[in-house]
């Protein structure tokens, strides 16, 4: 389990159809969709479409895909961070579909 000393909250808006692609974070990310929709997938699990009011969890170090739907998306992301740590994101190559 990762020690957490603070939580940074960000409101993020993605334009219609924006594809963030497969990525990983340096800490767990929790969030909720405020408006629009996203195609959300954690490596090894089926894709889910999330809409306003639904929540998500991006595990630390596990590839996830979080792409805006046709109407775009706004969401709140809660980044759990250790003392002195900043949120980071790293793009990864395509993850094979099972």
């Amino acid at each position: 389990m990762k020690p957490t000393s603070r939580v940074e909250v960000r409101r993020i808006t993605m334009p219609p159809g924006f594809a963030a692609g497969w990525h990983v974070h340096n800490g767990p990310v929790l969030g909720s969709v405020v408006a629009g929709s996203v195609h959300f997938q954690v490596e090894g699990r089926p894709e889910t479409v999330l809409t306003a009011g639904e929540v998500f969890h991006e595990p630390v170090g596990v590839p996830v895909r979080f792409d805006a739907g046709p109407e775009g998306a706004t969401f709140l992301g809660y980044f759990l961070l250790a003392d002195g740590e900043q949120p980071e994101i790293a793009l990864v190559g395509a993850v094979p579909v099972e």
Side-chain angles (χ1 to χ4, degrees):
M1 180 166 290
K2 179 181 173 157
T4 301
S5 65
R6 67 186 184 89
V7 176
E8 187 169 310
V9 182
R10 294 188 178 175
R11 182 182 179 96
I12 300 168
T13 299
M14 299 166 64
F18 179 81
W22 289 99
H23 62 276
V24 295
H25 290 280
N26 61 328
V29 179
L30 306 172
S32 60
V33 179
V34 174
S37 67
V38 295
H39 295 266
F40 176 70
Q41 185 174 11
V42 175
E43 180 183 37
R45 298 183 191 160
E47 177 185 298
T48 303
V49 176
L50 303 174
T51 59
E54 294 188 280
V55 297
F56 61 90
H57 169 242
E58 297 186 22
V60 61
V62 176
V64 297
R65 189 170 62 89
F66 197 89
D67 300 335
E71 67 284 352
T74 298
F75 63 96
L76 296 175
Y78 298 81
F79 297 81
L80 284 63
L81 302 165
D83 192 34
E85 186 175 43
Q86 296 299 316
E88 295 176 4
I89 186 172
L91 298 178
V92 297
V95 174
V97 176
E98 295 179 0

